[in-house]
Amino acid sequence: MEAAEADEHLIHEAEKIAVALGRMFPGLCEVVLHDLRDPEHAIRAIENNLSGRGVGDSATELGLARIADPGYPSVIQNYPNQFPDGRPAKSTSIGIRNAAGEYIAALCLNLDVSVLSPVTLALSNLVATDTEHREQPLETLRDRTARELRQAVEARAAERAATPRSLSREDKKALVRQLQRDGYFDSRDAAQTIADLLGVSRATVYNYAKQHSG
């Protein structure tokens, strides 16, 4: 397959992705596929047209930047943007390279956040608490020791740049042993809480602890 034909095939496949993404988020997210081989008529496909552009319109500044610089970042994620009528948008631009490493296309997603803002405000008001009591919680809805245990587990996992469940078997074993040394097993239901956090069985937690005490 010749290079030009291969590039066209790649863009055609990306076009299917653009259409599918747009139809998954109707009215919310504009999805645009730019053919960077022809910057004056770059827009190859547009779904959920929220910007008023059309097929055959020119490339954006990001598209031109990618054409000018092959080292330009492949993905620019969640940057603030604006539709022509002033509505705020959150955008992501994904550069598509061919086998030679050249940018030939860009897939762009523009989320209309103005539609979501009222929902966000309503949810914020719903979960808001009285500022008078914000500094000193009047009560906790969880067992205090369980909360401290969760914080300890997450902190130790973060030291290994991981989540508790993604830790290796040996790291989980070492973490359980450390928690035992720190006295967390003295609290009620500690073993089950640890098991839930690490994604293992309660028996496994006891087994890890038993190996340490032995």
Side-chain angles (χ1 to χ4, degrees):
M1 183 182 295
E2 293 184 359
E5 187 179 352
D7 289 354
E8 179 62 29
H9 175 75
L10 189 59
I11 293 177
H12 181 70
E13 291 298 300
E15 190 171 344
K16 289 191 277 187
I17 296 173
V19 172
L21 283 174
R23 292 179 182 177
M24 187 172 181
F25 302 104
L28 287 176
C29 187
E30 178 184 78
V31 184
V32 188
L33 178 64
H34 297 270
D35 184 345
L36 300 183
R37 300 172 303 175
D38 184 9
E40 292 299 318
H41 309 89
I43 294 183
R44 176 76 169 255
I46 183 166
E47 288 288 321
N48 292 333
N49 193 335
L50 301 175
S51 62
R53 294 174 293 171
V55 172
D57 282 357
S58 61
T60 62
E61 293 85 351
L62 273 181
L64 296 176
R66 285 201 173 99
I67 294 171
D69 180 12
Y72 199 84
S74 295
V75 179
I76 307 294
Q77 188 92 47
N78 296 335
Y79 59 91
N81 211 337
Q82 192 176 63
F83 291 113
D85 61 5
R87 283 174 297 162
K90 182 172 78 170
S91 299
T92 290
S93 177
I94 306 164
I96 300 172
R97 301 175 189 266
N98 61 12
E102 303 164 334
Y103 282 118
I104 60 168
L107 184 63
C108 300
L109 293 81
N110 303 308
L111 181 68
D112 183 357
V113 296
S114 70
V115 177
L116 302 176
S117 294
V119 178
T120 303
L121 179 60
L123 290 175
S124 297
N125 290 334
L126 183 64
V127 303
T129 54
D130 194 330
T131 55
E132 179 183 354
H133 305 297
R134 198 164 287 170
E135 294 301 320
Q136 292 292 332
L138 299 181
E139 65 177 353
T140 176
L141 300 181
R142 289 179 58 89
D143 176 70
R144 179 172 176 270
T145 306
R147 186 177 68 251
E148 293 173 349
L149 179 56
R150 175 181 291 275
Q151 291 172 345
V153 170
E154 290 178 345
R156 285 168 173 77
E159 291 172 1
R160 295 170 172 80
T163 62
R165 285 176 174 259
S166 69
L167 288 170
S168 68
R169 183 174 179 273
E170 288 305 314
D171 282 340
K172 288 180 180 179
K173 188 181 298 184
L175 192 153
V176 168
R177 293 172 178 175
Q178 183 62 50
L179 293 172
Q180 187 182 41
R181 286 194 295 270
D182 292 345
Y184 282 100
F185 276 76
D186 296 337
S187 63
R188 179 172 57 89
D189 296 330
Q192 186 59 59
T193 300
I194 296 169
D196 292 341
L197 290 170
L198 296 181
V200 299
S201 69
R202 185 176 178 180
T204 297
V205 171
Y206 279 126
N207 186 46
Y208 290 165
K210 183 178 180 181
Q211 289 177 19
H212 169 66
S213 60

